[in-house]
């Protein structure tokens, strides 16, 4: 095994997952990072979800610790950073994976739902950075990875989701430039349509549609042979960005989408 993250310490926000048949992005990234030698703090607002991820990592002989926190509560962001420092003394990789959609057609959405989307997708990121970046500044090194979406750069009926992910892209590039001289890199991954529990089980339930039909429909929308991507496709992209192989890569918004965002018409 190559152990591309040997001796590195990672925090993954949203390291559990929505229950379902496949694996989610947060879990796949956590498992892959641990497989490659990282120690991973598995942050999730649902402890059981983080514990399941830990079980999978432990089964493969990797190291991780679950930590329950809802990052929309700013005080928990400092607590999770303190926990990571108490355990392992540093933070090399920080992944912000959580995200939620509008749940209903854009302009019928109440303002409270708009706020929830922005709290989870963007304000939580800001609160986390306030706690994580001082540590990385002291270390004069660190790697930030944000899980955005191609919705940030392409038309979608989800107004709040799209706007918040576009905001996340902007934050990524601003931080990449502002903290470059400190040796800190910031990149975002923009997944396209994936076959993950959040997307398939979550959407099938919300839209009251048959799961297999939904899978077929989503597969058809992806130009690349094979249809939708999986959480592992996102995880391998994140692994590369987190590794020293990507030492000169910062400020990048990377589509992982089977050419979806390259298509016109
Ligand atoms: N699946 C797709 O098709 C697709 C496409 C584009 C982008 N994405 C992005 O991928 C990310 C989701 O990936 P996933 O598959 O791991 O999702 P998931 O929903 O399966 O897992 C996310 C985890 O985050 C936790 N969480 C949610 N809110 C939290 C909070 N406030 N504090 C702490 N933990 C919280 C949940 O409990 C869950 O365990 C989102 O950012 C989403 O926008 C997904």
């Amino acid at each position: 095994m190559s152990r591309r993250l040997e001796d590195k310490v990672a925090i993954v926000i949203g390291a559990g997952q929505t229950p379902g048949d496949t694996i989610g992005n947060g879990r796949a990234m956590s498992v892959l990072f641990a497989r490659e030698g990282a120690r991973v703090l598995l942050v999730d607002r649902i402890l059981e979800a983080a514990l399941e991820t830990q079980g999978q990592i432990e089964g493969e002989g990797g190291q991780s610790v679950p930590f329950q926190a809802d990052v929309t509560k700013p005080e928990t962001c400092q607590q999770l950073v303190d926990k990571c420092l108490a355990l392992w003394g540093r933070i090399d990789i920080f992944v912000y994976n959580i995200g939620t959609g509008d749940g209903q057609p854009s302009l019928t959405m109440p303002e409270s739902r708009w706020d929830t989307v922005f709290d989870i997708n963007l304000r939580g990121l800001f609160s986390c950075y306030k706690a994580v970046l001082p540590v990385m500044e002291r270390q004069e090194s660190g790697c930030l990875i944000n899980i955005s979406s191609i919705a940030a750069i392409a038309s979608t009926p989800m107004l709040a989701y799209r706007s918040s992910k576009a905001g996340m892209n902007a934050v990524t590039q601003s931080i990449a430039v502002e903290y470059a001289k400190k040796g800190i890199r910031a990149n975002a991954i923009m997944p396209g349509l994936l076959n993950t529990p959040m997307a398939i089980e979550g959407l099938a339930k919300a839209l009251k549609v048959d799961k297999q039909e939904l899978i077929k429909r989503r597969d058809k929308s992806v130009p690349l042979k094979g249809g939708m991507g999986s959480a592992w496709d996102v995880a391998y992209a994140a692994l590369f960005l987190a590794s020293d192989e990507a030492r000169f890569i910062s400020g990048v918004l990377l589509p992982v989408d089977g050419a979806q965002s390259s298509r016109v018409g």
Side-chain angles (χ1 to χ4, degrees):
M1 199 186 286
S2 51
R3 309 281 284 180
R4 289 156 77 187
L5 303 183
E6 194 72 67
D7 298 327
K8 292 195 191 290
V9 170
I11 297 177
V12 176
I13 308 294
Q17 74 170 57
T18 306
D21 293 339
T22 54
I23 189 164
N25 296 329
R27 180 163 296 164
M29 284 187 282
S30 303
V31 168
L32 189 58
F33 286 7
R35 216 176 263 171
E36 295 287 339
R39 288 161 284 173
V40 190
L41 189 71
L42 307 166
V43 179
D44 206 288
R45 67 180 170 192
I46 302 172
L47 184 61
E48 294 70 30
L51 280 165
E52 274 175 29
T53 306
Q54 186 198 27
Q56 191 162 339
I57 290 173
E58 231 172 45
E60 296 187 7
Q63 279 188 69
S64 64
V65 170
F67 189 80
Q68 186 171 23
D70 177 348
V71 297
T72 61
K73 300 189 167 63
E75 66 281 6
T76 67
C77 300
Q78 189 58 53
Q79 288 162 5
L80 69 91
V81 163
D82 291 345
K83 177 70 181 181
C84 190
L85 293 179
L87 283 166
W88 300 311
R90 54 186 297 111
I91 306 168
D92 299 297
I93 303 156
F94 178 82
V95 181
Y96 194 84
N97 168 62
I98 62 174
T100 191
D102 297 11
Q104 57 207 294
S106 303
L107 293 175
T108 66
M109 185 173 53
E111 276 78 356
S112 59
R113 182 64 203 166
W114 176 280
D115 288 346
T116 301
V117 173
F118 270 77
D119 283 355
I120 293 176
N121 297 7
L122 202 51
R123 193 171 57 85
L125 176 68
F126 173 66
S127 300
C128 285
Y129 277 5
K130 285 169 81 140
V132 170
L133 276 163
V135 177
M136 290 186 169
E137 268 190 289
R138 282 198 296 279
Q139 293 171 179
E140 294 199 45
S141 70
C143 166
L144 306 164
I145 300 173
N146 295 323
I147 305 303
S148 176
S149 168
I150 58 161
I153 56 162
S155 176
T156 163
M158 291 195 289
L159 196 63
Y161 183 72
R162 178 178 190 181
S163 310
S164 63
K165 293 294 191 178
M168 174 183 256
N169 286 359
V171 168
T172 305
Q173 292 189 311
S174 290
I175 295 289
V177 173
E178 197 179 331
Y179 286 84
K181 285 280 179 274
K182 306 275 184 186
I184 297 167
R185 297 186 294 113
N187 294 292
I189 292 173
M190 298 188 292
L193 292 176
L194 304 176
N195 187 347
T196 60
M198 183 208 202
I200 301 304
E201 277 81 357
L203 271 182
K205 200 172 149 197
L207 301 174
K208 298 188 179 67
V209 294
D210 176 68
K211 214 164 82 174
Q212 294 314 320
E213 278 307 309
L214 181 65
I215 290 173
K216 256 196 228 156
R217 203 196 314 156
R218 285 168 67 97
D219 278 342
K220 257 198 190 157
S221 306
V222 178
L224 193 64
K225 183 180 171 189
M228 281 184 285
S230 80
W232 294 113
D233 297 315
V234 170
Y236 278 108
L239 169 63
F240 168 64
L241 291 173
S243 75
D244 294 337
E245 294 154 20
R247 57 165 288 277
F248 199 51
I249 298 177
S250 192
V252 161
L253 312 173
L254 177 67
V256 175
D257 69 349
Q260 258 187 289
S261 57
S262 306
R263 185 177 50 197
V264 177

